[in-house]
Amino acid sequence: MEPSLPVAPALAIAGEWIAGGVGTHERALASPEVVDLGGRCVLPGFNDSHVHFPTWALAQRQLRLEGTASLDEALERIAAAAGEVQPGRWLRGTGWRSGDWSPPQEPTKEALDRVTGNTPAALMARDYHSLWLNSAALAHANGELEAAGGVVVRDDRGEPTGVLREECAWHFRDTYVRPTEDELLEASREGVRIAVGRGVTAVHDKDGWLGALGVWQRLRDEGSLTLRIWQSVPAEQVDELAALRIRSGFGDDLVRVGYLKAFMDGTLGSQTARMLDGSGVQITSREALAEIVRCGAEAGLPVAVHAIGDLANREALDAFAETRAVWQPLGLRPRIEHAQLLDAEDLPRFAELGVAASVQLSHAPSDRDLADRFWAGKTAGAYAYRSLWDSGALIANGSDAPIEELDPWAGVCAGVLRTIDERPAWHPEQRLTLEEALQATTVNPAWLARDERRRGKLIPGYLADLVVLDRDPFQVSPEALPQVEVVATMLGGRWVHNAPPWE
Ligand SMILES: [Zn+2]
């Protein structure tokens, strides 16, 4: 990924570090240990720039409702899982999206009650912005479901239907359905193994609110953390960090406090994205975000803000623009997460301001039907990765797992192909090249984590964090990219997945 030396036939590694690229005619390697790649290809390790890691890890073990084509099909799966829940435990699940269901139907507590009985059930929507509950679950809240920035969906009589959105959904989850740290630890330990098997060597985690820092430290101490973590902390906790003088970058080689996380709006799938047409849900106002950015800057922490709708993005950019004199001289690296729908006027502002677009290349093809429906007539500015790239914006690629699978290579393919099925590319004019998609998955996330002088490229003095692929992706046709496979992964000079020899 170094433009001045894009390809080397061999690589020397000394301890944790890259010692140099080695040409065909040199035999400068002093070490007796030589790995013959046998025609395979080495790239810098993948960095997932947006992942809810413990939540994703936990979701690997929960009821999954992805791909259900109707409410009835979802209920069948729920009924089967409900029978397995131990007495006194919650039935937890994720992945439903009522927009996918035909006939079109919204979920209700009554439908859920029929298949779950007295077992409390909490089922997160695929976008994690809506929560579907049964009566046994609702009973825990004693009718206190409202929260600022959220919606309690109610029927004609004013009765909650069982669906909560945005802050109401999260408040309920955090109060009544929160997993224990041990549950998160067990799941994350296994999750690290899965991620490393997909060539991941670093993540920007978004689960600071869930206590991810505690989980990472325990995994590190027991020796099972083989990823580098750049951690978010909820913006509401800025005072606690400031009181302790914990600034961005605090931590060690594996686990570091990175940035504050805030939310402007909801999502496309829940139809809560905040739009210039006046629809959607406001979670944080422009003024409130500006205040968060100021407080963050004072404490030495950049802000990452979730913004999906075109108005949410405009107001987030406005807030960064109006506070520019505060954060820019400090060298803080702010970012907008998702940047999903942009008005043409706002698109160049990412580059102008130096605000990174932390996007999910896989969202474009997997959201195409919803976007065509809910954002009809506006999709020219949706998932506009090519336009952002050409404007000079810094693009970082993440999965937003568990919303998409934690699989950076799948994201790279989605960015290049703009399709994940047999259909032709969706808005092919917004495709990235393979080179660019890889840069968004290696070099750019390392820059966001202030690691641009030690990660993201394989050049002398950089950490030997790398992935071995079964073939050179630059030598295959774009259509064949999804067939490229991860063979092995190295972190800091140590094999952490499938050490050689390989057959
Ligand atoms: Zn997310």
Side-chain angles (χ1 to χ4, degrees), residues 50 52 338 400:
H50 186 129
H52 306 261
H338 312 302
D400 206 4

Side-chain angles (χ1 to χ4, degrees), residues 50-52 127-129 206-207 261 263 306 337-338 360 363 399-403:
H50 186 129
V51 46
H52 306 261
D127 64 10
Y128 279 74
H129 285 248
K206 307 287 165 185
D207 271 355
K261 179 84 196 283
F263 290 83
H306 162 118
E337 304 298 313
H338 312 302
Q360 296 73 43
H363 278 7
S399 63
D400 206 4
I403 289 162

